[in-house]
Every structure is written in structure tokens, then in C-alpha cells.
């Protein structure tokens, strides 16, 4: 089957932040200027404004606490829930390292539960077996921008607190609720490759529980109550004012960007079908689970000959792709002492061998997508 595309495009990056900059430049520069003109770099109206805006965006009543990264959002949430040595926290092995790394940093033990192969999210049916009398919390990850199966997770964990790792999922929905608003705490990242990125590292943790919110706010600033009076040991987990200002400037664009990502995902699906690649070569297109709003932080395929395809796209066509994630958490060297071995999490291990994420940024053009699909067809001898 032949699949027409414009070869002169010459390449497509995995992410093109310059394309977004063209839209937001005036607003972001104005926001930076506000910070410079007041010289208020720590806390203040930009951080508080960003917190209020994100809370409203998540359609939540509660607390939002700007922090220095998505990693710190997770850490602060765990510290506020008194997770520590001797405790266990149940999570997915198929995620970015921060999910498991923060559990370890509290002194608790990460306990991994294999994934649902359709969505790549934690499999709720396997959670109950992982819960012991030491389990202190469960951390589902809304991977690639699609919410985990929250109702089934809630049923499986009884009354245990759920910390949502929503780092890839700001604006994603499950049965009408926004990611981050469904658990005890929700954790966002504003790393530049996330759907809402700032000018460096940044994050936010949200909660409908105001008391927990106050505890997290205190932990963010060395556990300080009255100035220089420390109620407990926290850390410097603060979001800089300049990044708060960037959140405020960019948030109004987020729904438009999400629509762009969704349109691009639908276009890829149609193009892969048109090229006749689905089934034999492309083992699976991204699944859309029911009753979700998938925000497509990533568009992730399962493919045959993944490593060769990735190298071919890079070397022959200058197409940027990425493997999220090549090594599941239970097989990371730093967690060797947890005693897991290859074969323990077969679905996560299979996903790690098969997944490939394609360019999906909102400004991607139809012609660029045809170029990507056309080169994939060529690799498989169908182009
Ligand atoms: C990006 C990410 C994080 C960490 O966010 P940072 O801002 O990079 O610290 C945590 N969990 C997941 C699933 C992520 O994708």
C-alpha cells in the first residue's frame, strides 16, 4: 500500500516549544516583566495567583500549593500524610522515576503492581493482593495524560489515601472529575515537556482537604509556622514567582492546546489505518478508555521492532521519538534491594519493550504527521 507524504519536510522534532512560544511570547514576557518590576521573586501574588488559577481549573474547592517540581509535589504530599520508614506505598512500575523515587526518599518501601496493558495504567484488579497492614497510601499515575481507573482503585484500597500522580495529566478527566481532584492529594509538574510547562522546573500539589493543604504549605517552607519557628522539618520546596507568573500566563491557552493534541491523536489513528499498519506492524494505537478526557501528553504506540524503528526514524528521517519507559521501576538498579526480578511484572516489562511515543505537540501540522506515518510505513516495507 502506498502512503503519500511530502518528503521535503525533512524532519519532525518530538517537541517543538518554539512553535508554542510564538503564541504565548507577549503574555509570558508581560508576566516576567511584572515579576521584574516588583522584584518579588519568592512567594507573593504571582504564586498565589497561580495556585488559585490551577485550583479553579481543576474545579476544586480546597488548597493548591506551588512547589519547585512535580517530584517535590509528590514528596510534600507523602510527607504530609506521614509516610515514612516501615510503611509501604503501592504504585505502578511503569512510570517516570519520580513516582517511586519519592516513595523511597520518605523511607517507605515502594510496592509495585502490574499495569493494565490497554491503558498502561495500574491494574486495579491486582491492587488488593499488594495491600498489607503496612500500606500507607496508593499512588496511581495518570500516564500519558489519561486517568487511571479511579473508581476501581478506590474500591480496591478501601479507605487508604490515594495520591494522584497527575504530572502528565493536568486537565484530564475521569467521569467528569479533573485529574488531581479525586484523591487525598493531586500532584502536577510544570516541566517544559508537560502540557503546561513553565520556564524551567515547577509543580503544584492540590487537595480538597484544607487541613492537609495547610500542612503541605508549611512543609514547602521548612515546616515553618511563625517566622523562624519550625513546627516540623520540611524543606525548601517553593515555586519561584517567575514560574507562578508563567503558569498564569499560559493556563488560558491550555484547553486549546489539549484540543490540538486530541485532534493530532485522531489524525494519527486515521493515518495509521489508511496506511494499513495497524495489527501486523503497529500492535496497538493508544487506547481511549471510556468516560475519560485524554489530554495526550504522549501519543504512545506499541510497535514491532521498536528499537530498529526508532533508530531508522532518527537516522533516515530526522523524526524525534522517545521510549517512555525502557526500564520499569521494579528492575531499576537502585531498587535491587527490593528483591524484584525480571518476569515479576510481565505487562510492564512487555510495554517497556514495545512502546514508542511520537511527536504530538499541539502545533504539529497534518503534513508533519503524514511525514511521520509515511516513514513508519516505509520502515515496515509498506510505504
Ligand atoms: C514529570 C513527571 C514527574 C516529575 O515531575 P518533575 O517536575 O520533572 O519533577 C512525576 N511523575 C510523572 C509521571 C512524570 O511524568
Amino acid at each position: 500500500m502506498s502512503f503519500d507524504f511530502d518528503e521535503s519536510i525533512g524532519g519532525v522534532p518530538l517537541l517543538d516549544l518554539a512553535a508554542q512560544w510564538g503564541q504565548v511570547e507577549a503574555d509570558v514576557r508581560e508576566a516576567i516583566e511584572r515579576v521584574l518590576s516588583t522584584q518579588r521573586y519568592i512567594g507573593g501574588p504571582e504564586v498565589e495567583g497561580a495556585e488559585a488559577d490551577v485550583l479553579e481549573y481543576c474545579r476544586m474547592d480546597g488548597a493548591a500549593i506551588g512547589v519547585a517540581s512535580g517530584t517535590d509535589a509528590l514528596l510534600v504530599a507523602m510527607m504530609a500524610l506521614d509516610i515514612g520508614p516501615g510503611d509501604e506505598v503501592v504504585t505502578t512500575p511503569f512510570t517516570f522515576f519520580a513516582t517511586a523515587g519519592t516513595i523511597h526518599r520518605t523511607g517507605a518501601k515502594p510496592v509495585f503492581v502490574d499495569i493494565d496493558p490497554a491503558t498502561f495504567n495500574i491494574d486495579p484488579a491486582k491492587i488488593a493482593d499488594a495491600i498489607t497492614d503496612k500500606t500507607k497510601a496508593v499512588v496511581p499515575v495518570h500516564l500519558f495524560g489519561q486517568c487511571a481507573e479511579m473508581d476501581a482503585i478506590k474500591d480496591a484500597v478501601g479507605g487508604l489515601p490515594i495520591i494522584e500522580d497527575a504530572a502528565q495529566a493536568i486537565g484530564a478527566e475521569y467521569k467528569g472529575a479533573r485529574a488531581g481532584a479525586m484523591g487525598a492529594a493531586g500532584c502536577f509538574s510544570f516541566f517544559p515537556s508537560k502540557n503546561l510547562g513553565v520556564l524551567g522546573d515547577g509543580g503544584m500539589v492540590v487537595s480538597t482537604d484544607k487541613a492537609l493543604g495547610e500542612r503541605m504549605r508549611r512543609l514547602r517552607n521548612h515546616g515553618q509556622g511563625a517566622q523562624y519557628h519550625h513546627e516540623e522539618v520540611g524543606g525548601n520546596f517553593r515555586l519561584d514567582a517567575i514560574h507562578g507568573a508563567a503558569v498564569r500566563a499560559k493556563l488560558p491557552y491550555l484547553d486549546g492546546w489539549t484540543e490540538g493534541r486530541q485532534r493530532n491523536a485522531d489524525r494519527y489513528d486515521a493515518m495509521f489505518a489508511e496506511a494499513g499498519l495497524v495489527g501486523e506492524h503497529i500492535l496497538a494505537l493508544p487506547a481511549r478508555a471510556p468516560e475519560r478526557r485524554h489530554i495526550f501528553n504522549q501519543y504512545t504506540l506499541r510497535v514491532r521492532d521498536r528499537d530498529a524503528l526508532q533508530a531508522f526514524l532518527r537516522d533516515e528521517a530526522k523524526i524525534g521519538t522517545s521510549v517512555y519507559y525502557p526500564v520499569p521501576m521494579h528492575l531499576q538498579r537502585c531498587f535491587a534491594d527490593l528483591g524484584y526480578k525480571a518476569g515479576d511484572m510481565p505487562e510492564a516489562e512487555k510495554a517497556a519493550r514495545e512502546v514508542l511515543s511520537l511527536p504530538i505537540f499541539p502545533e504539529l501540522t497534518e503534513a508533519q504527521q503524514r511525514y511521520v506515518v509515511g516513514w513508519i510505513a516505509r520502515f515496515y516495507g509498506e510505504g
Side-chain angles (χ1 to χ4, degrees), residues 69-71 74 95-96 98-99 141 165 167-168 189 191 194 201-202 325:
S69 66
T71 303
L74 289 162
T95 180
F96 177 62
T99 319
V141 179
D165 184 337
Q168 302 181 4
S189 167
F191 186 77
K194 306 297 163 90
D201 281 305
Y325 296 89

Side-chain angles (χ1 to χ4, degrees), residues 45-77:
E46 300 300 338
V47 174
E48 286 163 19
E51 291 170 347
D53 289 355
V54 169
L55 208 55
E56 191 191 334
Y57 185 76
C58 295
R59 304 193 199 116
M60 288 173 70
D61 184 27
I65 298 97
V67 291
S69 66
T71 303
D72 284 349
L74 289 162
L75 188 59
V76 163

